[in-house]
Amino acid sequence: MDICDTDEALIVKVDLPGISKENVEITTTENMIRIKGQSTREEHTEMKSCFRHERMTGSFERTVSLPSKIKPDETKASFKDGVLEIRLPKAEKARREEHRVEVESQ
């Protein structure tokens, strides 16, 4: 899992090879993200005198505290070529804005 911080959003990328988007669940709060998933794979091999049938299943869950507050209701996710990408827009207060501070003379 990679989490990158930009001025506008946090970007989360997770490699999920062999898992379909229907088997992934994402939940967020203003300072947390949870990603859950389930993988199931069946393999059949048949030869003249051999037969093999294998089933593999597994689940995962990651919960991560975020470094800044986000807008959970504006979170977007996409899934392409086994990579899940989640864009978590930052809450207004959390955006990095530069403010110049004047130094007063005494």
Side-chain angles (χ1 to χ4, degrees), residues 2-6 9-13 85-88:
D2 298 329
I3 301 177
C4 300
D5 192 350
T6 69
L10 297 172
I11 309 296
V12 176
K13 289 187 180 181
E85 182 173 312
I86 307 163
R87 183 174 181 81
L88 305 153

Side-chain angles (χ1 to χ4, degrees), residues 9-99:
L10 297 172
I11 309 296
V12 176
K13 289 187 180 181
V14 183
D15 290 339
L16 300 174
I19 298 176
S20 66
K21 69 176 189 171
E22 292 79 22
N23 291 330
V24 176
E25 179 183 313
I26 304 163
T27 55
T28 60
T29 65
E30 67 179 12
N31 62 353
M32 180 271 307
I33 184 168
R34 182 174 58 230
I35 303 168
K36 293 170 42 173
Q38 178 75 32
S39 66
T40 303
R41 189 176 79 193
E42 283 194 43
E43 240 177 75
H44 297 278
T45 303
E46 196 169 342
M47 301 171 92
K48 285 183 181 181
S49 61
C50 299
F51 180 77
R52 179 175 67 101
H53 180 79
E54 198 171 309
R55 273 183 240 138
M56 294 173 249
T57 62
S59 62
F60 66 91
E61 181 174 339
R62 290 290 309 268
T63 302
V64 178
S65 294
L66 300 171
S68 46
K69 290 189 178 188
I70 62 154
K71 299 176 184 176
D73 56 331
E74 294 181 23
T75 298
K76 303 275 188 225
S78 61
F79 195 73
K80 183 178 178 184
D81 298 329
V83 179
L84 175 66
E85 182 173 312
I86 307 163
R87 183 174 181 81
L88 305 153
K90 289 183 180 179
E92 295 298 321
K93 294 178 189 175
R95 290 191 181 162
R96 293 182 188 164
E97 293 182 26
E98 191 173 291
H99 297 282

